[in-house]
């Protein structure tokens, strides 16, 4: 839903991005688990206030589409059912964030 | 948007045609089809004020306080800030950077003064310029594959 000109939901929301770079691929497991812990602790500190995860910046393990909420997810599933009834893009095509499964 | 569906058909998705698909594609990512073209409405953007300021970690508290001030002030649709706290492992060095833009040619726009007032500053490139010049500057901030 587009924001109305007078509304300012931006006032209360901060987008946090943790961006890491490391030169040696063997460090990936350590960095990834550290990042998960950090993200979880931030999520806990803001509680249920903002569930939204920004898809473009989301890590592979974050499931950003589910964060849109049940109503939106139901609409997305409805659209997928209508335009891709065999769920080709969800089940055959690899990569990207998939619609949440029940 | 022009979209190729799983059954091979090519359809348009916009506000009036397949609008439910159009809406789903905005945020629903690759679950519906392959977008092969899209039209966007553009508007002229004249020169504007922006750039980046880098601060030593002694400015961290002032940075956070300025961010709170910015969020609590009246919303200004022309102001943009990305506040970044950085740690360089090799040099064991902390610093912070604000990439800021005010999409009007106004030097030191009031809404961003809580950041521009912070001292000391390591670098300051705030200026009036155009979008491509700012884009080239942002690119310099991206990490390279150099060790």
């Amino acid at each position: 839903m587009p924001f109305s000109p007078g509304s300012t939901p931006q006032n209360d929301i901060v987008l946090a991005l943790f961006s890491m770079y490391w030169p040696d691929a063997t460090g990936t497991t350590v960095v990834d688990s550290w990042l998960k812990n950090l993200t979880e602790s931030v999520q806990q500190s803001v509680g249920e206030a903002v569930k939204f995860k920004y898809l473009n910046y989301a890590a592979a393990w974050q499931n950003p589409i589910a964060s849109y909420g049940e109503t939106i997810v139901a609409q997305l599933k409805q659209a997928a059912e209508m335009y891709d009834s065999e769920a080709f893009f969800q089940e055959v095509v690899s990569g990207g964030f998939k619609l949440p499964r029940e | 948007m022009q979209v190729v569906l799983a059954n091979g058909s090519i359809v348009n998705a916009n506000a009036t045609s397949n609008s439910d698909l159009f809406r789903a594609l905005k945020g629903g990512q690759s679950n519906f089809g392959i977008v092969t073209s899209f039209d966007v409405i553009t508007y002229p953007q004249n020169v504007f004020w922006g750039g980046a300021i880098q601060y030593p970690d002694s400015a961290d508290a002032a940075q956070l306080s300025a961010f709170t001030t910015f969020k609590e002030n009246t919303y200004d649709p022309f102001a943009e800030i990305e506040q970044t706290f950085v740690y360089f492992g090799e040099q064991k060095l902390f610093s912070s950077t604000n990439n800021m833009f005010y999409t009007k040619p106004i030097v030191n726009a009031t809404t961003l003064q809580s950041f521009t007032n912070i001292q000391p500053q390591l670098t300051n490139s705030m200026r009036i310029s155009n979008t491509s010049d700012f884009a080239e500057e942002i690119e310099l901030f991206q990490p390279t594959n150099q060790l």
Side-chain angles (χ1 to χ4, degrees), chain A residues 10-11 13 21 23 68 75-76 83 89 97 99, chain B residues 18 20 23 27 29 31-33 71 75 143 147:
Chain A
Q10 304 91 328
N11 277 0
I13 299 175
Y21 303 90
Y68 299 168
Q75 287 169 355
L76 292 175
Y83 294 97
F89 284 103
F97 293 106
L99 298 184
Chain B
N18 298 309
D20 45 357
R23 185 158 186 249
Q29 233 198 10
N31 291 283
F32 310 95
K71 295 294 282 182
Y75 174 61
L147 295 184

mmCIF file with all atom_site columns, all heavy atoms in Angstrom, chain A residues 10-11 13 21 23 68 75-76 83 89 97 99, chain B residues 18 20 23 27 29 31-33 71 75 143 147:
data_model
loop_
_atom_site.group_PDB
_atom_site.id
_atom_site.type_symbol
_atom_site.label_atom_id
_atom_site.label_alt_id
_atom_site.label_comp_id
_atom_site.label_asym_id
_atom_site.label_entity_id
_atom_site.label_seq_id
_atom_site.pdbx_PDB_ins_code
_atom_site.Cartn_x
_atom_site.Cartn_y
_atom_site.Cartn_z
_atom_site.occupancy
_atom_site.B_iso_or_equiv
_atom_site.pdbx_formal_charge
_atom_site.auth_seq_id
_atom_site.auth_comp_id
_atom_site.auth_asym_id
_atom_site.auth_atom_id
_atom_site.pdbx_PDB_model_num
ATOM 1   N N   . GLN A 1 10  ? 8.286  6.471   8.043   1.00 0.00 ? 10  GLN A N   1
ATOM 2   C CA  . GLN A 1 10  ? 9.749  6.426   8.019   1.00 0.00 ? 10  GLN A CA  1
ATOM 3   C C   . GLN A 1 10  ? 10.345 6.901   9.327   1.00 0.00 ? 10  GLN A C   1
ATOM 4   O O   . GLN A 1 10  ? 11.456 6.527   9.695   1.00 0.00 ? 10  GLN A O   1
ATOM 5   C CB  . GLN A 1 10  ? 10.285 7.330   6.889   1.00 0.00 ? 10  GLN A CB  1
ATOM 6   C CG  . GLN A 1 10  ? 9.743  6.999   5.526   1.00 0.00 ? 10  GLN A CG  1
ATOM 7   C CD  . GLN A 1 10  ? 8.479  7.797   5.202   1.00 0.00 ? 10  GLN A CD  1
ATOM 8   O OE1 . GLN A 1 10  ? 7.705  8.117   6.086   1.00 0.00 ? 10  GLN A OE1 1
ATOM 9   N NE2 . GLN A 1 10  ? 8.271  8.085   3.943   1.00 0.00 ? 10  GLN A NE2 1
ATOM 10  N N   . ASN A 1 11  ? 9.612  7.757   10.038  1.00 0.00 ? 11  ASN A N   1
ATOM 11  C CA  . ASN A 1 11  ? 10.146 8.339   11.270  1.00 0.00 ? 11  ASN A CA  1
ATOM 12  C C   . ASN A 1 11  ? 10.601 7.308   12.280  1.00 0.00 ? 11  ASN A C   1
ATOM 13  O O   . ASN A 1 11  ? 11.563 7.502   13.002  1.00 0.00 ? 11  ASN A O   1
ATOM 14  C CB  . ASN A 1 11  ? 9.091  9.229   11.933  1.00 0.00 ? 11  ASN A CB  1
ATOM 15  C CG  . ASN A 1 11  ? 9.078  10.618  11.320  1.00 0.00 ? 11  ASN A CG  1
ATOM 16  O OD1 . ASN A 1 11  ? 9.856  10.886  10.422  1.00 0.00 ? 11  ASN A OD1 1
ATOM 17  N ND2 . ASN A 1 11  ? 8.204  11.475  11.785  1.00 0.00 ? 11  ASN A ND2 1
ATOM 18  N N   . ILE A 1 13  ? 11.356 4.016   11.735  1.00 0.00 ? 13  ILE A N   1
ATOM 19  C CA  . ILE A 1 13  ? 12.027 2.816   11.230  1.00 0.00 ? 13  ILE A CA  1
ATOM 20  C C   . ILE A 1 13  ? 13.472 3.125   10.850  1.00 0.00 ? 13  ILE A C   1
ATOM 21  O O   . ILE A 1 13  ? 13.763 4.144   10.236  1.00 0.00 ? 13  ILE A O   1
ATOM 22  C CB  . ILE A 1 13  ? 11.271 2.240   10.019  1.00 0.00 ? 13  ILE A CB  1
ATOM 23  C CG1 . ILE A 1 13  ? 9.849  1.842   10.446  1.00 0.00 ? 13  ILE A CG1 1
ATOM 24  C CG2 . ILE A 1 13  ? 11.998 1.032   9.445   1.00 0.00 ? 13  ILE A CG2 1
ATOM 25  C CD1 . ILE A 1 13  ? 8.988  1.368   9.307   1.00 0.00 ? 13  ILE A CD1 1
ATOM 26  N N   . TYR A 1 21  ? 33.235 -8.113  4.849   1.00 0.00 ? 21  TYR A N   1
ATOM 27  C CA  . TYR A 1 21  ? 34.128 -8.543  3.772   1.00 0.00 ? 21  TYR A CA  1
ATOM 28  C C   . TYR A 1 21  ? 35.330 -9.214  4.400   1.00 0.00 ? 21  TYR A C   1
ATOM 29  O O   . TYR A 1 21  ? 35.888 -8.705  5.362   1.00 0.00 ? 21  TYR A O   1
ATOM 30  C CB  . TYR A 1 21  ? 34.577 -7.341  2.935   1.00 0.00 ? 21  TYR A CB  1
ATOM 31  C CG  . TYR A 1 21  ? 33.420 -6.577  2.344   1.00 0.00 ? 21  TYR A CG  1
ATOM 32  C CD1 . TYR A 1 21  ? 32.847 -5.522  3.040   1.00 0.00 ? 21  TYR A CD1 1
ATOM 33  C CD2 . TYR A 1 21  ? 32.888 -6.932  1.101   1.00 0.00 ? 21  TYR A CD2 1
ATOM 34  C CE1 . TYR A 1 21  ? 31.763 -4.824  2.527   1.00 0.00 ? 21  TYR A CE1 1
ATOM 35  C CE2 . TYR A 1 21  ? 31.810 -6.251  0.574   1.00 0.00 ? 21  TYR A CE2 1
ATOM 36  C CZ  . TYR A 1 21  ? 31.248 -5.195  1.284   1.00 0.00 ? 21  TYR A CZ  1
ATOM 37  O OH  . TYR A 1 21  ? 30.187 -4.513  0.779   1.00 0.00 ? 21  TYR A OH  1
ATOM 38  N N   . PRO A 1 23  ? 38.922 -11.779 3.380   1.00 0.00 ? 23  PRO A N   1
ATOM 39  C CA  . PRO A 1 23  ? 39.730 -12.196 2.228   1.00 0.00 ? 23  PRO A CA  1
ATOM 40  C C   . PRO A 1 23  ? 39.861 -13.707 2.066   1.00 0.00 ? 23  PRO A C   1
ATOM 41  O O   . PRO A 1 23  ? 40.274 -14.161 1.012   1.00 0.00 ? 23  PRO A O   1
ATOM 42  C CB  . PRO A 1 23  ? 41.100 -11.568 2.520   1.00 0.00 ? 23  PRO A CB  1
ATOM 43  C CG  . PRO A 1 23  ? 41.146 -11.484 4.009   1.00 0.00 ? 23  PRO A CG  1
ATOM 44  C CD  . PRO A 1 23  ? 39.738 -11.294 4.480   1.00 0.00 ? 23  PRO A CD  1
ATOM 45  N N   . TYR A 1 68  ? 6.752  -10.094 5.354   1.00 0.00 ? 68  TYR A N   1
ATOM 46  C CA  . TYR A 1 68  ? 5.745  -9.138  4.863   1.00 0.00 ? 68  TYR A CA  1
ATOM 47  C C   . TYR A 1 68  ? 4.421  -9.288  5.613   1.00 0.00 ? 68  TYR A C   1
ATOM 48  O O   . TYR A 1 68  ? 3.546  -8.444  5.498   1.00 0.00 ? 68  TYR A O   1
ATOM 49  C CB  . TYR A 1 68  ? 5.477  -9.333  3.365   1.00 0.00 ? 68  TYR A CB  1
ATOM 50  C CG  . TYR A 1 68  ? 6.672  -9.121  2.452   1.00 0.00 ? 68  TYR A CG  1
ATOM 51  C CD1 . TYR A 1 68  ? 6.617  -9.517  1.120   1.00 0.00 ? 68  TYR A CD1 1
ATOM 52  C CD2 . TYR A 1 68  ? 7.841  -8.518  2.902   1.00 0.00 ? 68  TYR A CD2 1
ATOM 53  C CE1 . TYR A 1 68  ? 7.688  -9.331  0.259   1.00 0.00 ? 68  TYR A CE1 1
ATOM 54  C CE2 . TYR A 1 68  ? 8.916  -8.332  2.056   1.00 0.00 ? 68  TYR A CE2 1
ATOM 55  C CZ  . TYR A 1 68  ? 8.832  -8.739  0.722   1.00 0.00 ? 68  TYR A CZ  1
ATOM 56  O OH  . TYR A 1 68  ? 9.896  -8.564  -0.115  1.00 0.00 ? 68  TYR A OH  1
ATOM 57  N N   . GLN A 1 75  ? -1.602 -13.180 -0.499  1.00 0.00 ? 75  GLN A N   1
ATOM 58  C CA  . GLN A 1 75  ? -1.813 -12.568 -1.820  1.00 0.00 ? 75  GLN A CA  1
ATOM 59  C C   . GLN A 1 75  ? -0.749 -13.030 -2.817  1.00 0.00 ? 75  GLN A C   1
ATOM 60  O O   . GLN A 1 75  ? -1.038 -13.285 -3.986  1.00 0.00 ? 75  GLN A O   1
ATOM 61  C CB  . GLN A 1 75  ? -1.768 -11.038 -1.708  1.00 0.00 ? 75  GLN A CB  1
ATOM 62  C CG  . GLN A 1 75  ? -3.009 -10.448 -1.035  1.00 0.00 ? 75  GLN A CG  1
ATOM 63  C CD  . GLN A 1 75  ? -2.832 -8.976  -0.683  1.00 0.00 ? 75  GLN A CD  1
ATOM 64  O OE1 . GLN A 1 75  ? -1.744 -8.413  -0.858  1.00 0.00 ? 75  GLN A OE1 1
ATOM 65  N NE2 . GLN A 1 75  ? -3.892 -8.371  -0.187  1.00 0.00 ? 75  GLN A NE2 1
ATOM 66  N N   . LEU A 1 76  ? 0.478  -13.142 -2.332  1.00 0.00 ? 76  LEU A N   1
ATOM 67  C CA  . LEU A 1 76  ? 1.562  -13.599 -3.213  1.00 0.00 ? 76  LEU A CA  1
ATOM 68  C C   . LEU A 1 76  ? 1.327  -15.043 -3.645  1.00 0.00 ? 76  LEU A C   1
ATOM 69  O O   . LEU A 1 76  ? 1.552  -15.402 -4.801  1.00 0.00 ? 76  LEU A O   1
ATOM 70  C CB  . LEU A 1 76  ? 2.916  -13.467 -2.495  1.00 0.00 ? 76  LEU A CB  1
ATOM 71  C CG  . LEU A 1 76  ? 3.402  -12.040 -2.230  1.00 0.00 ? 76  LEU A CG  1
ATOM 72  C CD1 . LEU A 1 76  ? 4.682  -12.054 -1.401  1.00 0.00 ? 76  LEU A CD1 1
ATOM 73  C CD2 . LEU A 1 76  ? 3.641  -11.299 -3.543  1.00 0.00 ? 76  LEU A CD2 1
ATOM 74  N N   . TYR A 1 83  ? -0.631 -17.440 -11.895 1.00 0.00 ? 83  TYR A N   1
ATOM 75  C CA  . TYR A 1 83  ? 0.267  -17.217 -13.030 1.00 0.00 ? 83  TYR A CA  1
ATOM 76  C C   . TYR A 1 83  ? 1.304  -18.332 -13.208 1.00 0.00 ? 83  TYR A C   1
ATOM 77  O O   . TYR A 1 83  ? 1.979  -18.404 -14.219 1.00 0.00 ? 83  TYR A O   1
ATOM 78  C CB  . TYR A 1 83  ? 0.962  -15.858 -12.891 1.00 0.00 ? 83  TYR A CB  1
ATOM 79  C CG  . TYR A 1 83  ? 0.005  -14.702 -12.996 1.00 0.00 ? 83  TYR A CG  1
ATOM 80  C CD1 . TYR A 1 83  ? -0.518 -14.088 -11.857 1.00 0.00 ? 83  TYR A CD1 1
ATOM 81  C CD2 . TYR A 1 83  ? -0.426 -14.245 -14.245 1.00 0.00 ? 83  TYR A CD2 1
ATOM 82  C CE1 . TYR A 1 83  ? -1.421 -13.042 -11.949 1.00 0.00 ? 83  TYR A CE1 1
ATOM 83  C CE2 . TYR A 1 83  ? -1.324 -13.199 -14.351 1.00 0.00 ? 83  TYR A CE2 1
ATOM 84  C CZ  . TYR A 1 83  ? -1.824 -12.603 -13.200 1.00 0.00 ? 83  TYR A CZ  1
ATOM 85  O OH  . TYR A 1 83  ? -2.716 -11.564 -13.301 1.00 0.00 ? 83  TYR A OH  1
ATOM 86  N N   . PHE A 1 89  ? 8.474  -21.817 -10.833 1.00 0.00 ? 89  PHE A N   1
ATOM 87  C CA  . PHE A 1 89  ? 9.508  -20.895 -10.343 1.00 0.00 ? 89  PHE A CA  1
ATOM 88  C C   . PHE A 1 89  ? 9.844  -21.118 -8.870  1.00 0.00 ? 89  PHE A C   1
ATOM 89  O O   . PHE A 1 89  ? 10.942 -20.822 -8.429  1.00 0.00 ? 89  PHE A O   1
ATOM 90  C CB  . PHE A 1 89  ? 9.081  -19.437 -10.581 1.00 0.00 ? 89  PHE A CB  1
ATOM 91  C CG  . PHE A 1 89  ? 9.228  -19.033 -12.018 1.00 0.00 ? 89  PHE A CG  1
ATOM 92  C CD1 . PHE A 1 89  ? 8.117  -18.946 -12.848 1.00 0.00 ? 89  PHE A CD1 1
ATOM 93  C CD2 . PHE A 1 89  ? 10.474 -18.786 -12.559 1.00 0.00 ? 89  PHE A CD2 1
ATOM 94  C CE1 . PHE A 1 89  ? 8.248  -18.595 -14.179 1.00 0.00 ? 89  PHE A CE1 1
ATOM 95  C CE2 . PHE A 1 89  ? 10.636 -18.442 -13.892 1.00 0.00 ? 89  PHE A CE2 1
ATOM 96  C CZ  . PHE A 1 89  ? 9.514  -18.346 -14.707 1.00 0.00 ? 89  PHE A CZ  1
ATOM 97  N N   . PHE A 1 97  ? 14.787 -15.822 -3.120  1.00 0.00 ? 97  PHE A N   1
ATOM 98  C CA  . PHE A 1 97  ? 13.948 -16.148 -1.968  1.00 0.00 ? 97  PHE A CA  1
ATOM 99  C C   . PHE A 1 97  ? 12.626 -16.726 -2.451  1.00 0.00 ? 97  PHE A C   1
ATOM 100 O O   . PHE A 1 97  ? 11.968 -16.132 -3.302  1.00 0.00 ? 97  PHE A O   1
ATOM 101 C CB  . PHE A 1 97  ? 13.704 -14.913 -1.108  1.00 0.00 ? 97  PHE A CB  1
ATOM 102 C CG  . PHE A 1 97  ? 14.953 -14.398 -0.433  1.00 0.00 ? 97  PHE A CG  1
ATOM 103 C CD1 . PHE A 1 97  ? 15.579 -13.238 -0.875  1.00 0.00 ? 97  PHE A CD1 1
ATOM 104 C CD2 . PHE A 1 97  ? 15.502 -15.090 0.637   1.00 0.00 ? 97  PHE A CD2 1
ATOM 105 C CE1 . PHE A 1 97  ? 16.730 -12.780 -0.261  1.00 0.00 ? 97  PHE A CE1 1
ATOM 106 C CE2 . PHE A 1 97  ? 16.654 -14.633 1.262   1.00 0.00 ? 97  PHE A CE2 1
ATOM 107 C CZ  . PHE A 1 97  ? 17.270 -13.485 0.818   1.00 0.00 ? 97  PHE A CZ  1
ATOM 108 N N   . LEU A 1 99  ? 8.624  -18.237 -1.891  1.00 0.00 ? 99  LEU A N   1
ATOM 109 C CA  . LEU A 1 99  ? 7.472  -17.974 -1.036  1.00 0.00 ? 99  LEU A CA  1
ATOM 110 C C   . LEU A 1 99  ? 7.518  -18.953 0.141   1.00 0.00 ? 99  LEU A C   1
ATOM 111 O O   . LEU A 1 99  ? 7.912  -20.098 -0.030  1.00 0.00 ? 99  LEU A O   1
ATOM 112 C CB  . LEU A 1 99  ? 6.169  -18.158 -1.818  1.00 0.00 ? 99  LEU A CB  1
ATOM 113 C CG  . LEU A 1 99  ? 5.951  -17.232 -3.013  1.00 0.00 ? 99  LEU A CG  1
ATOM 114 C CD1 . LEU A 1 99  ? 4.573  -17.465 -3.639  1.00 0.00 ? 99  LEU A CD1 1
ATOM 115 C CD2 . LEU A 1 99  ? 6.097  -15.772 -2.605  1.00 0.00 ? 99  LEU A CD2 1
ATOM 116 N N   . ASN B 2 18  ? -3.152 -7.309  -15.635 1.00 0.00 ? 18  ASN B N   1
ATOM 117 C CA  . ASN B 2 18  ? -2.550 -8.265  -14.686 1.00 0.00 ? 18  ASN B CA  1
ATOM 118 C C   . ASN B 2 18  ? -1.977 -7.540  -13.466 1.00 0.00 ? 18  ASN B C   1
ATOM 119 O O   . ASN B 2 18  ? -0.835 -7.786  -13.055 1.00 0.00 ? 18  ASN B O   1
ATOM 120 C CB  . ASN B 2 18  ? -1.446 -9.083  -15.377 1.00 0.00 ? 18  ASN B CB  1
ATOM 121 C CG  . ASN B 2 18  ? -1.984 -9.912  -16.528 1.00 0.00 ? 18  ASN B CG  1
ATOM 122 O OD1 . ASN B 2 18  ? -2.964 -10.650 -16.365 1.00 0.00 ? 18  ASN B OD1 1
ATOM 123 N ND2 . ASN B 2 18  ? -1.380 -9.785  -17.699 1.00 0.00 ? 18  ASN B ND2 1
ATOM 124 N N   . ASP B 2 20  ? -2.501 -7.792  -10.390 1.00 0.00 ? 20  ASP B N   1
ATOM 125 C CA  . ASP B 2 20  ? -2.119 -8.623  -9.236  1.00 0.00 ? 20  ASP B CA  1
ATOM 126 C C   . ASP B 2 20  ? -0.713 -9.211  -9.420  1.00 0.00 ? 20  ASP B C   1
ATOM 127 O O   . ASP B 2 20  ? 0.050  -9.330  -8.471  1.00 0.00 ? 20  ASP B O   1
ATOM 128 C CB  . ASP B 2 20  ? -3.159 -9.732  -8.979  1.00 0.00 ? 20  ASP B CB  1
ATOM 129 C CG  . ASP B 2 20  ? -3.593 -10.446 -10.247 1.00 0.00 ? 20  ASP B CG  1
ATOM 130 O OD1 . ASP B 2 20  ? -3.145 -10.050 -11.354 1.00 0.00 ? 20  ASP B OD1 1
ATOM 131 O OD2 . ASP B 2 20  ? -4.373 -11.404 -10.147 1.00 0.00 ? 20  ASP B OD2 1
ATOM 132 N N   . ARG B 2 23  ? 1.771  -6.308  -8.869  1.00 0.00 ? 23  ARG B N   1
ATOM 133 C CA  . ARG B 2 23  ? 1.977  -6.043  -7.442  1.00 0.00 ? 23  ARG B CA  1
ATOM 134 C C   . ARG B 2 23  ? 2.852  -7.128  -6.814  1.00 0.00 ? 23  ARG B C   1
ATOM 135 O O   . ARG B 2 23  ? 3.759  -6.850  -6.020  1.00 0.00 ? 23  ARG B O   1
ATOM 136 C CB  . ARG B 2 23  ? 0.626  -5.967  -6.734  1.00 0.00 ? 23  ARG B CB  1
ATOM 137 C CG  . ARG B 2 23  ? 0.773  -5.573  -5.287  1.00 0.00 ? 23  ARG B CG  1
ATOM 138 C CD  . ARG B 2 23  ? -0.488 -4.976  -4.707  1.00 0.00 ? 23  ARG B CD  1
ATOM 139 N NE  . ARG B 2 23  ? -0.199 -4.505  -3.350  1.00 0.00 ? 23  ARG B NE  1
ATOM 140 C CZ  . ARG B 2 23  ? -0.695 -5.065  -2.256  1.00 0.00 ? 23  ARG B CZ  1
ATOM 141 N NH1 . ARG B 2 23  ? -1.523 -6.086  -2.335  1.00 0.00 ? 23  ARG B NH1 1
ATOM 142 N NH2 . ARG B 2 23  ? -0.363 -4.593  -1.074  1.00 0.00 ? 23  ARG B NH2 1
ATOM 143 N N   . GLY B 2 27  ? 8.499  -6.996  -4.895  1.00 0.00 ? 27  GLY B N   1
ATOM 144 C CA  . GLY B 2 27  ? 8.796  -7.514  -3.563  1.00 0.00 ? 27  GLY B CA  1
ATOM 145 C C   . GLY B 2 27  ? 8.705  -9.022  -3.469  1.00 0.00 ? 27  GLY B C   1
ATOM 146 O O   . GLY B 2 27  ? 9.212  -9.626  -2.545  1.00 0.00 ? 27  GLY B O   1
ATOM 147 N N   . GLN B 2 29  ? 9.877  -11.142 -5.670  1.00 0.00 ? 29  GLN B N   1
ATOM 148 C CA  . GLN B 2 29  ? 11.059 -11.692 -6.334  1.00 0.00 ? 29  GLN B CA  1
ATOM 149 C C   . GLN B 2 29  ? 10.759 -12.723 -7.407  1.00 0.00 ? 29  GLN B C   1
ATOM 150 O O   . GLN B 2 29  ? 9.767  -12.610 -8.131  1.00 0.00 ? 29  GLN B O   1
ATOM 151 C CB  . GLN B 2 29  ? 12.053 -12.213 -5.294  1.00 0.00 ? 29  GLN B CB  1
ATOM 152 C CG  . GLN B 2 29  ? 13.424 -11.622 -5.505  1.00 0.00 ? 29  GLN B CG  1
ATOM 153 C CD  . GLN B 2 29  ? 14.529 -12.398 -4.827  1.00 0.00 ? 29  GLN B CD  1
ATOM 154 O OE1 . GLN B 2 29  ? 14.349 -13.495 -4.317  1.00 0.00 ? 29  GLN B OE1 1
ATOM 155 N NE2 . GLN B 2 29  ? 15.713 -11.813 -4.809  1.00 0.00 ? 29  GLN B NE2 1
ATOM 156 N N   . ASN B 2 31  ? 9.379  -15.586 -8.017  1.00 0.00 ? 31  ASN B N   1
ATOM 157 C CA  . ASN B 2 31  ? 8.433  -16.681 -7.816  1.00 0.00 ? 31  ASN B CA  1
ATOM 158 C C   . ASN B 2 31  ? 7.306  -16.725 -8.843  1.00 0.00 ? 31  ASN B C   1
ATOM 159 O O   . ASN B 2 31  ? 6.421  -17.576 -8.745  1.00 0.00 ? 31  ASN B O   1
ATOM 160 C CB  . ASN B 2 31  ? 7.803  -16.572 -6.422  1.00 0.00 ? 31  ASN B CB  1
ATOM 161 C CG  . ASN B 2 31  ? 8.803  -16.868 -5.322  1.00 0.00 ? 31  ASN B CG  1
ATOM 162 O OD1 . ASN B 2 31  ? 9.126  -18.017 -5.071  1.00 0.00 ? 31  ASN B OD1 1
ATOM 163 N ND2 . ASN B 2 31  ? 9.322  -15.832 -4.678  1.00 0.00 ? 31  ASN B ND2 1
ATOM 164 N N   . PHE B 2 32  ? 7.326  -15.822 -9.818  1.00 0.00 ? 32  PHE B N   1
ATOM 165 C CA  . PHE B 2 32  ? 6.152  -15.684 -10.677 1.00 0.00 ? 32  PHE B CA  1
ATOM 166 C C   . PHE B 2 32  ? 6.446  -15.748 -12.172 1.00 0.00 ? 32  PHE B C   1
ATOM 167 O O   . PHE B 2 32  ? 5.587  -16.122 -12.961 1.00 0.00 ? 32  PHE B O   1
ATOM 168 C CB  . PHE B 2 32  ? 5.453  -14.360 -10.378 1.00 0.00 ? 32  PHE B CB  1
ATOM 169 C CG  . PHE B 2 32  ? 5.216  -14.158 -8.912  1.00 0.00 ? 32  PHE B CG  1
ATOM 170 C CD1 . PHE B 2 32  ? 6.118  -13.439 -8.139  1.00 0.00 ? 32  PHE B CD1 1
ATOM 171 C CD2 . PHE B 2 32  ? 4.124  -14.724 -8.297  1.00 0.00 ? 32  PHE B CD2 1
ATOM 172 C CE1 . PHE B 2 32  ? 5.916  -13.276 -6.780  1.00 0.00 ? 32  PHE B CE1 1
ATOM 173 C CE2 . PHE B 2 32  ? 3.913  -14.569 -6.936  1.00 0.00 ? 32  PHE B CE2 1
ATOM 174 C CZ  . PHE B 2 32  ? 4.812  -13.846 -6.173  1.00 0.00 ? 32  PHE B CZ  1
ATOM 175 N N   . GLY B 2 33  ? 7.613  -15.360 -12.593 1.00 0.00 ? 33  GLY B N   1
ATOM 176 C CA  . GLY B 2 33  ? 7.934  -15.309 -14.015 1.00 0.00 ? 33  GLY B CA  1
ATOM 177 C C   . GLY B 2 33  ? 9.254  -14.597 -14.205 1.00 0.00 ? 33  GLY B C   1
ATOM 178 O O   . GLY B 2 33  ? 9.934  -14.251 -13.231 1.00 0.00 ? 33  GLY B O   1
ATOM 179 N N   . LYS B 2 71  ? 15.981 11.649  13.101  1.00 0.00 ? 71  LYS B N   1
ATOM 180 C CA  . LYS B 2 71  ? 14.746 10.856  13.059  1.00 0.00 ? 71  LYS B CA  1
ATOM 181 C C   . LYS B 2 71  ? 13.609 11.549  13.789  1.00 0.00 ? 71  LYS B C   1
ATOM 182 O O   . LYS B 2 71  ? 12.442 11.390  13.443  1.00 0.00 ? 71  LYS B O   1
ATOM 183 C CB  . LYS B 2 71  ? 14.975 9.468   13.666  1.00 0.00 ? 71  LYS B CB  1
ATOM 184 C CG  . LYS B 2 71  ? 15.951 8.597   12.890  1.00 0.00 ? 71  LYS B CG  1
ATOM 185 C CD  . LYS B 2 71  ? 15.413 8.225   11.526  1.00 0.00 ? 71  LYS B CD  1
ATOM 186 C CE  . LYS B 2 71  ? 14.372 7.111   11.585  1.00 0.00 ? 71  LYS B CE  1
ATOM 187 N NZ  . LYS B 2 71  ? 13.898 6.753   10.223  1.00 0.00 ? 71  LYS B NZ  1
ATOM 188 N N   . TYR B 2 75  ? 9.846  15.130  9.192   1.00 0.00 ? 75  TYR B N   1
ATOM 189 C CA  . TYR B 2 75  ? 10.272 14.388  8.010   1.00 0.00 ? 75  TYR B CA  1
ATOM 190 C C   . TYR B 2 75  ? 10.494 15.333  6.833   1.00 0.00 ? 75  TYR B C   1
ATOM 191 O O   . TYR B 2 75  ? 9.654  16.164  6.520   1.00 0.00 ? 75  TYR B O   1
ATOM 192 C CB  . TYR B 2 75  ? 9.208  13.335  7.663   1.00 0.00 ? 75  TYR B CB  1
ATOM 193 C CG  . TYR B 2 75  ? 9.470  12.593  6.382   1.00 0.00 ? 75  TYR B CG  1
ATOM 194 C CD1 . TYR B 2 75  ? 10.615 11.822  6.223   1.00 0.00 ? 75  TYR B CD1 1
ATOM 195 C CD2 . TYR B 2 75  ? 8.563  12.664  5.322   1.00 0.00 ? 75  TYR B CD2 1
ATOM 196 C CE1 . TYR B 2 75  ? 10.857 11.138  5.052   1.00 0.00 ? 75  TYR B CE1 1
ATOM 197 C CE2 . TYR B 2 75  ? 8.799  11.979  4.143   1.00 0.00 ? 75  TYR B CE2 1
ATOM 198 C CZ  . TYR B 2 75  ? 9.949  11.217  4.003   1.00 0.00 ? 75  TYR B CZ  1
ATOM 199 O OH  . TYR B 2 75  ? 10.172 10.543  2.839   1.00 0.00 ? 75  TYR B OH  1
ATOM 200 N N   . PRO B 2 143 ? 34.141 -1.970  -1.506  1.00 0.00 ? 143 PRO B N   1
ATOM 201 C CA  . PRO B 2 143 ? 35.402 -2.703  -1.329  1.00 0.00 ? 143 PRO B CA  1
ATOM 202 C C   . PRO B 2 143 ? 35.834 -3.355  -2.639  1.00 0.00 ? 143 PRO B C   1
ATOM 203 O O   . PRO B 2 143 ? 34.999 -3.770  -3.433  1.00 0.00 ? 143 PRO B O   1
ATOM 204 C CB  . PRO B 2 143 ? 35.047 -3.758  -0.284  1.00 0.00 ? 143 PRO B CB  1
ATOM 205 C CG  . PRO B 2 143 ? 33.569 -3.877  -0.315  1.00 0.00 ? 143 PRO B CG  1
ATOM 206 C CD  . PRO B 2 143 ? 33.022 -2.589  -0.796  1.00 0.00 ? 143 PRO B CD  1
ATOM 207 N N   . LEU B 2 147 ? 43.597 -7.285  -1.041  1.00 0.00 ? 147 LEU B N   1
ATOM 208 C CA  . LEU B 2 147 ? 43.712 -7.691  0.362   1.00 0.00 ? 147 LEU B CA  1
ATOM 209 C C   . LEU B 2 147 ? 44.272 -6.527  1.179   1.00 0.00 ? 147 LEU B C   1
ATOM 210 O O   . LEU B 2 147 ? 44.984 -5.707  0.688   1.00 0.00 ? 147 LEU B O   1
ATOM 211 C CB  . LEU B 2 147 ? 44.626 -8.912  0.493   1.00 0.00 ? 147 LEU B CB  1
ATOM 212 C CG  . LEU B 2 147 ? 44.090 -10.169 -0.158  1.00 0.00 ? 147 LEU B CG  1
ATOM 213 C CD1 . LEU B 2 147 ? 45.033 -11.336 0.123   1.00 0.00 ? 147 LEU B CD1 1
ATOM 214 C CD2 . LEU B 2 147 ? 42.702 -10.518 0.345   1.00 0.00 ? 147 LEU B CD2 1
#
